């Protein structure tokens, strides 16, 4: 009968039923005609997922209390400014000495334009600016492949695309694609490849102005000198630079991208302001979560004293590796699911310079230099252009490279990062350095992860105890999303938990 109704347009099709409905925030008006009232909710964890949960529930008047173990809300959304101090699990204490207006985003630092994070920036009044994720004039440097000096992104891209286009065009011209394409298709393909790779009439790549100029075009008498020294196809492929170009095609990495003006922590600051400072308890380390027949009980310590919060519901928004250490009565299914999700490593170092020499000497404004060294990525700041000072991200690495750097003292991290960077940028990478600050997430107390690996994906049956409420306890976090490591994942997971909790309150 249901199938027949669907065929008549009287019931949703299976495809329509699977389509995600637009999110609808709870509203105080939801209770006005029902005779029901908003519940009391304790939220364990004051990262983006926890703050978003409190913010959304607060729209309907829920009485929310957020418990955050660290001295500040925001979780892995952490912007380091002058005067900020941290102590890692190895005992390394650092205090940032960045100048006024200078900062580094130690955690999330960029916002794709399709993510709901930008919707919250709009809603909360957080101004944004462009983050330069891809820059044609940034460098590529693969020391392990034998490169002795860096090459501009635009130059490497022109050479790789040029030779790939030449090889494919010649293969088509010699009939190698006759079984795959019609004669007309091959003709159109060759025309495309000639433009794509900037090929000559003989279908050969010999370089072009796409590679850049050794003398840039200027006034009359200075037509410009196209960059010479075109390497052979073998040399280009051996350099391994082609591995970096697929990055810009990634759905979550394609330009345009954005960042909040003044630092990524403008987002949790705005959330905290909207929630109300009196509802967020920092320095509150959760020691036990107990589900009861008529509510929940959460025990925590703050300032050396043990306290208990009684509420109708609880939302667990701590990282799963931390939640797994908290005693509870939620059963082996919850515990097994939490333990199945594995924390991952990542680290960054901010290098503050007394001048913005990468702009004046290298003509690089924002963007990322890629390398096969243990630095992995070097970020040029996308703010403060033409200012007196600036903060480069001297490495953004992960996995084994991040763990290796984390074991060093902050001074040795700086020394190693700078020594590597000199190979790309020259001595100013060392001589202009004013201060540094390094941060590693696996060694950050109460978090101990940069992001998480969720084997099988969040919809795997083993995570059902986390995706559905266990008693009166719900869970939220980017680790329960398909965009782990992005704030979008935290926001959408929080919305999911809020929707389920609110529907339950309205139904009972």
């Amino acid at each position: 009968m249901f199938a027949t109704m669907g065929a008549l347009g009287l019931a949703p099709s299976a495809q329509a039923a699977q389509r995600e409905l637009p999110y609808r925030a709870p509203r105080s008006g939801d209770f006005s005609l029902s005779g029901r009232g908003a519940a009391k909710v304790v939220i364990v964890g004051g990262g983006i997922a926890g703050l978003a949960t409190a913010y959304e529930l607060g729209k309907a008047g829920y009485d929310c209390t957020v418990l955050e173990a660290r001295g500040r809300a925001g979780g892995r959304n952490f912007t380091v400014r002058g005067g900020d101090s941290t102590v890692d699990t190895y005992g390394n204490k650092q205090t940032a000495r960045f100048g006024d207006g200078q900062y580094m985003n130690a955690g999330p630092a960029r916002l794709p334009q399709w993510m709901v994070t930008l919707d919250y920036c709009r809603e909360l009044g957080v101004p944004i600016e462009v983050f330069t994720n891809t820059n044609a004039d940034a460098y590529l440097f693969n020391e392990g492949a034998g490169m002795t000096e860096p090459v501009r992104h635009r130059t490497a891209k022109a050479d790789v695309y040029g030779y790939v286009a030449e090889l494919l065009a010649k293969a088509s011209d010699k009939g190698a694609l006759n079984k795959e394409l019609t004669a007309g298709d091959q003709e159109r393909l060759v025309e495309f490849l000639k433009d794509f790779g900037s090929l000559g009439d003989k279908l050969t790549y010999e370089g072009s102005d796409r590679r850049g100029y050794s003398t840039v075009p200027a006034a009359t008498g200075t037509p410009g000198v196209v960059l010479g020294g075109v390497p052979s196809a073998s040399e280009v492929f051996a350099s391994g630079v082609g591995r970096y170009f697929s990055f810009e095609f990634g759905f979550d990495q394609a330009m345009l991208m954005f960042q909040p003006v003044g630092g990524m922590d403008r987002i949790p600051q705005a959330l905290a302001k909207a929630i109300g400072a009196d509802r967020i308890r920092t320095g509150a380390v959760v020691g036990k979560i107990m589900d009861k027949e008529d509510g929940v009980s959460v025990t925590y310590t703050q300032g050396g004293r043990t306290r208990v919060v009684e509420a109708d519901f609880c939302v667990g928004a701590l990282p799963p590796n931390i939640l797994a250490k908290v005693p509870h009565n939620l059963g082996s299914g919850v515990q097994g699911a939490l333990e199945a999700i594995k924390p991952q490593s990542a680290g960054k170092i901010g290098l503050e310079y007394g001048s913005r020499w990468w702009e004046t000497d290298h003509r690089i404004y924002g963007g990322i230099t890629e390398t096969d060294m243990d630095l992995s990525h070097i970020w040029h700041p996308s703010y403060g252009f033409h200012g007196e000072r600036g903060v480069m991200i001297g490495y953004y690495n992960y996995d084994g490279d991040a763990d290796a750097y984390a074991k060093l003292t902050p001074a040795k991290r700086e020394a190693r990062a700078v020594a590597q960077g000199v190979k790309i940028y020259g001595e100013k990478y060392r001589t202009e350095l004013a201060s540094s600050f390094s941060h590693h997430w696996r060694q950050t107390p109460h978090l101990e992860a940069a992001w998480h690996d969720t084997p099988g994906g969040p919809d795997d049956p083993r995570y059902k105890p986390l995706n559905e409420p266990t008693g009166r306890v719900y869970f939220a976090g980017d680790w329960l999303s398909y965009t782990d490591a992005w704030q979008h994942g935290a926001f959408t997971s929080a919305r999911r938990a809020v929707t389920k909790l609110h529907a339950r309150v309205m139904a009972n």
Side-chain angles (χ1 to χ4, degrees):
M1 182 178 68
F2 186 82
T4 302
M5 291 174 65
L8 295 173
L10 301 176
S13 65
Q15 182 179 2
Q18 293 175 4
R19 190 178 302 125
E20 183 180 358
L21 295 175
Y23 172 70
R24 177 190 177 280
R27 291 175 280 197
S28 58
D30 295 342
F31 299 111
S32 59
L33 298 179
S34 66
R36 298 174 177 83
K40 183 176 182 180
V41 182
V42 57
I43 298 162
V44 177
I48 294 300
L51 294 176
T53 299
Y55 172 66
E56 292 294 342
L57 289 174
K59 293 176 179 178
Y62 282 83
D63 181 4
C64 295
T65 299
V66 180
L67 302 178
E68 168 55 45
R70 302 178 75 201
R72 45 165 290 279
R76 287 164 287 160
N77 182 325
F78 177 34
T79 300
V80 181
R81 297 183 178 82
D84 288 338
S85 294
T86 60
V87 180
D88 66 23
T89 57
Y90 291 136
N92 294 306
K93 181 177 181 179
Q94 296 180 84
T95 298
R97 295 184 290 113
F98 296 154
D100 292 343
Q102 302 301 319
Y103 63 85
M104 66 174 284
N105 289 316
R110 47 194 171 187
L111 305 173
Q113 55 195 324
W114 55 270
M115 290 187 171
V116 301
T117 311
L118 288 181
D119 297 336
Y120 281 93
C121 288
R122 181 189 303 108
E123 185 173 323
L124 294 164
V126 176
I128 60 173
E129 61 189 358
V130 170
F131 174 91
T132 306
N133 208 37
T134 304
N135 186 340
D137 281 320
Y139 288 123
L140 305 179
F141 183 66
N142 287 336
E143 184 180 44
M147 293 178 66
T148 57
E149 59 183 24
V151 62
R152 299 277 189 178
H153 185 281
R154 70 163 75 247
T155 305
K157 190 173 185 178
D159 290 342
V160 170
Y161 282 18
Y163 282 122
V164 168
E166 175 183 331
L167 293 171
L168 185 53
K170 287 181 176 178
S172 178
D173 193 51
K174 293 181 179 180
L177 302 180
N178 287 349
K179 293 182 179 180
E180 308 294 333
L181 301 172
T182 67
D185 288 339
Q186 291 185 63
E187 182 179 340
R188 286 184 284 272
L189 172 62
V190 170
E191 286 302 310
F192 162 75
L193 291 170
K194 288 170 66 176
D195 180 66
F196 177 76
S198 191
L199 305 182
D201 292 336
K202 296 183 179 181
L203 302 182
T204 58
Y205 174 69
E206 298 175 354
S208 73
D209 60 359
R210 295 181 184 179
R211 304 184 75 245
Y213 288 81
S214 56
T215 300
V216 298
T220 301
T222 310
V225 178
V226 175
L227 192 65
V230 181
S232 67
S234 179
E235 291 172 326
V236 169
F237 296 141
S239 71
V241 294
R243 76 182 69 168
Y244 300 115
F245 304 131
S246 61
F247 170 78
E248 63 196 70
F249 300 145
F251 185 68
D252 60 351
Q253 296 293 348
M255 288 292 286
L256 284 174
M257 300 190 84
F258 296 88
Q259 63 184 6
V261 175
M264 190 62 76
D265 65 351
R266 301 306 192 206
I267 295 175
Q269 288 173 2
L271 284 167
K273 181 179 179 180
I275 294 166
D278 59 316
R279 296 185 178 276
I280 302 173
R281 303 178 187 178
T282 57
V285 181
V286 173
K288 185 184 294 185
I289 300 173
M290 300 298 291
D291 178 58
K292 302 185 297 183
E293 184 176 345
D294 59 347
V296 294
S297 175
V298 177
T299 303
Y300 69 98
T301 58
Q302 184 184 43
R305 296 180 59 186
T306 299
R307 295 177 168 86
V308 178
V309 176
E310 303 284 348
D312 298 303
F313 299 97
C314 173
V315 177
L318 287 173
N321 52 304
I322 302 300
L323 272 172
K325 300 176 185 178
V326 177
H328 60 78
N329 66 341
L330 304 178
S332 59
V334 166
Q335 187 64 23
L338 291 172
E339 292 177 354
I341 304 173
K342 303 303 180 184
Q344 303 299 302
S345 300
K348 289 181 183 178
I349 188 170
L351 302 175
E352 183 187 25
Y353 288 95
S355 69
R356 299 176 74 94
W357 49 264
W358 54 91
E359 294 175 0
T360 57
D361 296 2
H362 298 262
R363 311 293 290 183
I364 299 176
Y365 288 77
I368 302 172
T369 284
E370 304 285 1
T371 172
D372 67 352
M373 296 188 292
D374 57 17
L375 307 175
S376 294
H377 316 285
I378 299 175
W379 289 12
H380 312 95
S382 290
Y383 70 95
F385 300 118
H386 290 174
E388 293 184 1
R389 305 170 76 86
V391 176
M392 295 260 279
I393 300 300
Y395 62 71
Y396 172 24
N397 53 20
Y398 23 80
D399 302 330
D401 289 336
D403 290 336
Y405 269 90
K407 293 177 181 178
L408 303 175
T409 64
K412 290 183 177 180
R413 296 172 194 167
E414 175 195 291
R416 179 166 179 79
V418 169
Q420 298 280 59
V422 166
K423 299 174 184 178
I424 302 173
Y425 296 96
E427 279 301 316
K428 281 193 176 181
Y429 204 81
R430 177 182 289 112
T431 59
E432 292 291 308
L433 184 64
S435 69
S436 72
F437 188 96
S438 51
H439 189 80
H440 289 259
W441 288 105
R442 282 288 278 150
Q443 288 70 40
T444 300
H446 306 299
L447 291 171
E448 299 178 21
W451 52 76
H452 299 83
D453 175 27
T454 306
D459 282 316
D460 189 286
R462 82 186 89 174
Y463 308 120
K464 185 177 180 180
L466 305 178
N467 285 313
E468 300 298 331
T470 297
R472 289 174 171 264
V473 178
Y474 294 73
F475 297 91
D478 59 306
W479 41 278
L480 285 177
S481 79
Y482 286 96
T483 50
D484 186 65
W486 293 96
Q487 293 172 96
H488 172 87
F491 278 120
T492 55
S493 179
R495 284 180 167 189
R496 186 176 187 274
V498 164
T499 299
K500 287 181 172 293
L501 192 157
H502 185 55
R504 180 173 177 176
V505 171
M506 292 296 297
N508 295 318

